[in-house]
Amino acid sequence: MNLFYNKNGVGDVAFLQLDPAEGEFDYHQFGDVVRITQDNKVTGYNIFNASQNLSLEGNGHIKLTPELVEQLQQTINDAGIDDKLDSDLSPKFVVGYVESKEKHQNADKLSVLKVDVGNETLQIVCGAPNVEAGQKVVVAKVGAVMPSGMVIKDAELRGVPSSGMVCSMKELNLPNAPKEKGILVLSDEYQVGQPFFEE
């Protein structure tokens, strides 16, 4: 679930994205709330006059808090929509530990990793030339919004399921990122599962 708001750029409208989707959408307006669906599944909402109902600070990608999710839920319900927001506010950029690395069966330059992120172990397909078992790395979990605007989702890469992404400095938009390809390898003092960014 991602919230975008830019009053100066597009007016007093908040865009709540539940699931990244492409293609044709259906739009149904209920007062100040537009419910966006695709194949009868809700993918998001546009909320007009957003500043009257929501505590919004800043522009662009807005950090969701329990209070803001409650305000969004109230605004949607007040418009006569019975939908319940399912909000996972856990950190999306976390420290992971690469437990194992195996060669991808269908691609020479890809590896299949098992990465411990604290509360679960993810299978992630990675193309970085410098990734190895035993490293601590930055993992963008499913639902993370990269600085480029790309949303991380479950995928299949050359037939192998992948849940998340092991990140480079450039992908994280960190200063002084090297030009050569490769993931960011963290030092040992980082704890597996801890948020990489202050969120």
Side-chain angles (χ1 to χ4, degrees):
M1 191 160 75
N2 297 292
L3 184 65
F4 303 91
Y5 182 69
N6 184 344
K7 190 170 186 179
N8 296 332
V10 294
D12 194 13
V13 187
F15 304 94
L16 182 64
Q17 179 189 53
L18 302 184
D19 282 312
E22 296 170 359
E24 295 289 316
F25 297 98
D26 293 308
Y27 300 88
H28 302 280
Q29 184 151 2
F30 302 80
D32 278 342
V33 179
V34 175
R35 187 172 185 258
I36 305 166
T37 58
Q38 185 180 62
D39 300 326
N40 295 318
K41 183 181 178 213
V42 180
T43 61
Y45 304 88
N46 292 344
I47 300 169
F48 294 90
N49 301 310
S51 62
Q52 294 177 23
N53 300 304
L54 308 173
S55 305
L56 297 166
E57 291 179 18
N59 277 325
H61 184 248
I62 304 294
K63 181 182 183 312
L64 286 168
T65 62
E67 295 76 25
L68 188 49
V69 171
E70 201 171 295
Q71 292 170 6
L72 287 161
Q73 182 70 65
Q74 190 67 50
T75 302
I76 289 166
N77 292 155
D78 287 350
I81 303 169
D82 288 336
D83 299 344
K84 174 88 175 75
L85 296 178
D86 177 23
S87 60
D88 172 13
L89 300 182
S90 64
K92 294 293 182 274
F93 293 91
V94 299
V95 176
Y97 177 77
V98 182
E99 294 181 338
S100 67
K101 170 189 170 182
E102 293 178 10
K103 196 173 175 324
H104 192 298
Q105 59 200 19
N106 300 319
D108 288 342
K109 294 187 176 175
L110 296 179
S111 302
V112 181
L113 312 176
K114 295 278 193 244
V115 185
D116 177 5
V117 292
N119 59 344
E120 59 184 329
T121 299
L122 303 175
Q123 177 170 289
I124 299 175
V125 177
C126 179
N130 66 327
V131 68
E132 296 295 344
Q135 292 172 334
K136 287 184 178 175
V137 295
V138 182
V139 175
K141 296 170 70 175
V142 170
V145 179
M146 302 301 293
S148 66
M150 179 177 76
V151 179
I152 301 299
K153 43 191 174 182
D154 283 314
E156 269 200 18
L157 296 173
R158 297 283 185 94
V160 175
S162 182
S163 297
M165 184 169 96
V166 179
C167 301
S168 69
M169 287 180 71
K170 186 176 180 186
E171 288 161 339
L172 295 168
N173 202 24
L174 297 176
N176 306 316
K179 290 198 167 37
E180 57 272 12
K181 285 186 174 177
I183 49 129
L184 171 60
V185 179
L186 301 173
S187 58
D188 277 344
E189 59 255 27
Y190 284 89
Q191 298 299 309
V192 172
Q194 80 175 73
F196 181 69
F197 295 114
E198 292 297 325
E199 299 192 35

